[in-house]
């Protein structure tokens, strides 16, 4: 635990350095001036829009959990998703780093197996790719029609969209086509790793290979159940799309708060493409996402870098810090309830 706290502290320190560098590049005085001149009532509107985003993606999790036979109420699913966002925001590599902790929070709240919780959050994260690529493609198409020439950053963004539009469906097809071979490979690779880690835990015997294989099979079976339900996929994609639109809308409101009006198509490009920076080894992509958002805003709208970064600062205050602080409180409550339950069972 001390090592994990140290890694988290180091990650936040690195994120602060990155943010400081971005501040210096765009101009600290100009950015502070843009923030001071921002309309507070309009800036505060970013919060309810961000809440709408969290609610929509929480409903996507609710839809997937119902398909897995572990129904929870919609409000509970939303709260659990917010706690999962906390896990993503305090671990490096974004969703990839936070999924193990998110799965634990989901399994505890939904009273289900860990592998089911992992399958649920993995399914939701995978489904988010489809509408994000669609929104970015529509936004780039609109900008391309309205612009004579695309700048270097926009060309890079278009290339990223093209790569994702090709790679994600191909990976999904190959993963589904060879899912049984993939399952067998995962069992072979993870079994010795899990047993090795288990042998290091004092007072506990290493987990039996049959138990590990059964749990991995449970994860893949849960993924199969989600993939086999067309209604679940369509409903979850609808909630995911609504969440992406809300997330883009939050950035649009933030730019309006600092005194500029940008085409909504621009934020449709900025948010999904810039969010790729969340895979950086920074907690929740902190620093990297801000830099990507600001650069893409300048490239798509032509507004000054200081104004763009001020808008991104307001946007991330509502989307990153709100979900981190609120989700941390929810996660702490889930963990406390878990400890009390274990204590009661032991007595």
């Amino acid at each position: 635990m001390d090592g994990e706290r140290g890694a988290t502290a180091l990650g936040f320190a690195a994120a602060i350095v990155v943010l400081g560098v971005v501040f210096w590049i765009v101009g600290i005085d100009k950015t502070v001036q843009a923030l001071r001149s921002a309309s507070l009532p309009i800036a505060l509107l970013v919060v309810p829009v961000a809440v709408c985003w969290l609610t929509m993606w929480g409903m996507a999790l609710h839809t997937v959990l119902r398909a897995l036979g572990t129904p929870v109420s919609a409000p509970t699913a939303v709260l659990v998703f917010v706690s999962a966002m906390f896990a993503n925001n305090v671990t490096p590599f974004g969703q990839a780093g936070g999924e193990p902790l998110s799965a634990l929070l989901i399994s505890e709240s939904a009273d289900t197996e860990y592998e089911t919780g992992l399958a649920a959050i993995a399914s939701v994260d995978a489904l988010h790719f489809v509408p994000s690529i669609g929104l970015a493609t529509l936004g780039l198409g609109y900008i391309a029609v309205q612009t004579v020439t695309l700048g270097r950053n926009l060309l890079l963004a278009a290339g990223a969209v093209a790569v994702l539009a090709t790679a994600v469906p191909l990976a999904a097809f190959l993963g589904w086509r060879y899912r049984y071979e993939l399952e067998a490979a995962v069992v072979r690779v993870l079994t010795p790793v899990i047993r090795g880690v288990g042998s290091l835990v004092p007072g506990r015997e290493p987990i039996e290979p049959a138990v590990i294989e059964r749990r991995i099979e449970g994860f893949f079976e849960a993924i199969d159940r989600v993939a086999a339900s067309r209604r679940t996929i369509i409903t979850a994609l609808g909630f995911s799309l609504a969440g992406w639109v809300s997330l883009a809308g939050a950035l649009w409101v933030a730019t309006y708060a600092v005194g500029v009006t940008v085409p909504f198509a621009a934020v449709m490009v900025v948010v999904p493409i810039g969010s790729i920076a969340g895979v950086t080894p920074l907690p929740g992509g902190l620093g990297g996402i801000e830099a990507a958002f600001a650069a893409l805003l300048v490239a798509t709208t032509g507004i000054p870098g200081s104004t763009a970064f001020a808008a991104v600062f307001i946007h991330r205050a509502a989307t990153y810090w709100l979900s981190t602080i609120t989700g941390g409180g929810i996660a702490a409550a889930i963990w406390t309830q878990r400890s009390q339950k274990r204590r009661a069972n032991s007595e």
Side-chain angles (χ1 to χ4, degrees):
M1 292 296 293
D2 290 338
E4 292 177 0
R5 293 192 187 99
T8 300
L10 182 61
F12 274 105
I16 291 173
V17 172
V18 173
L19 286 172
V21 171
V22 177
F23 257 116
W24 178 75
I25 291 174
V26 300
I28 297 176
D29 292 339
K30 291 182 179 180
T31 303
V32 172
Q33 182 179 357
L35 287 171
R36 285 180 175 176
S37 62
S39 171
L40 182 59
I42 296 177
L44 290 176
L45 286 177
V46 179
V47 175
V49 180
V51 170
C52 182
W53 155 61
L54 289 170
T55 301
M56 291 299 98
W57 281 11
M59 289 302 298
L61 176 61
H62 176 253
T63 302
V64 171
L65 286 173
R66 289 183 61 184
L68 293 175
T70 55
V72 296
S73 66
T76 298
V78 172
L79 292 176
V80 171
F81 177 78
V82 176
S83 70
M85 287 301 302
F86 160 77
N88 293 339
N89 290 347
V90 299
T91 54
F93 305 106
Q95 293 170 333
E99 279 195 348
L101 179 55
S102 300
L104 178 60
L105 294 170
I106 293 171
S107 63
E108 290 294 330
S109 301
D111 193 23
T112 186
E113 297 291 337
Y114 175 82
E115 56 268 23
T116 302
L118 183 60
I121 193 64
S123 298
V124 171
D125 288 343
L127 288 171
H128 287 330
F129 277 108
V130 178
S132 70
I133 294 171
L135 280 179
T137 301
L138 288 175
L140 282 170
Y142 177 84
I143 293 173
V145 170
Q146 299 295 320
T147 307
V148 177
T149 58
L150 294 178
R152 178 174 177 272
N153 288 337
L154 279 182
L155 288 174
L156 290 175
V161 172
V163 170
L164 288 174
T166 303
V168 172
L170 180 61
F173 170 77
L174 292 177
W176 179 256
R177 174 66 177 79
Y178 298 103
R179 59 190 182 278
Y180 299 117
E181 292 83 355
L182 178 62
E183 178 183 335
V186 171
V187 171
R188 287 196 305 271
V189 172
L190 289 187
T191 297
V193 175
I194 295 174
R195 283 180 58 81
V197 173
S199 65
L200 299 177
V201 179
R204 297 194 64 177
E205 294 293 330
I207 304 175
E208 293 296 325
V211 176
I212 298 174
E213 182 176 357
R214 186 176 70 250
R215 287 188 170 272
I216 294 175
E217 288 177 351
F219 168 79
F220 279 92
E221 288 173 359
I223 294 291
D224 282 347
R225 289 203 299 273
V226 175
S229 175
R230 183 177 302 177
R231 180 178 180 180
T232 296
I233 292 177
I234 293 175
T235 304
L237 284 175
F239 284 125
S240 177
L241 175 61
W244 278 114
V245 172
S246 300
L247 196 57
L251 182 57
W252 186 90
V253 174
T255 59
Y256 192 71
V258 296
V260 294
T261 303
V262 301
F264 196 81
V267 294
M268 285 170 54
V269 175
V270 172
V271 171
I273 299 303
S275 295
I276 298 174
V279 301
T280 57
L282 297 169
L286 182 63
I289 289 180
E290 283 80 358
F293 276 18
L296 287 169
L297 262 181
V298 173
T300 55
T301 64
I303 64 176
S306 56
T307 303
F309 191 63
V312 171
F313 189 88
I314 295 172
H315 174 266
R316 290 284 281 172
T319 55
Y320 177 86
W321 290 109
L322 177 65
S323 61
T324 301
I325 295 171
T326 306
I330 298 171
I334 294 173
W335 199 260
T336 300
Q337 186 179 21
R338 176 179 184 264
S339 300
Q340 292 174 347
K341 186 185 300 183
R342 287 194 168 187
R343 193 179 301 116
N345 291 336
S346 63
E347 293 176 355

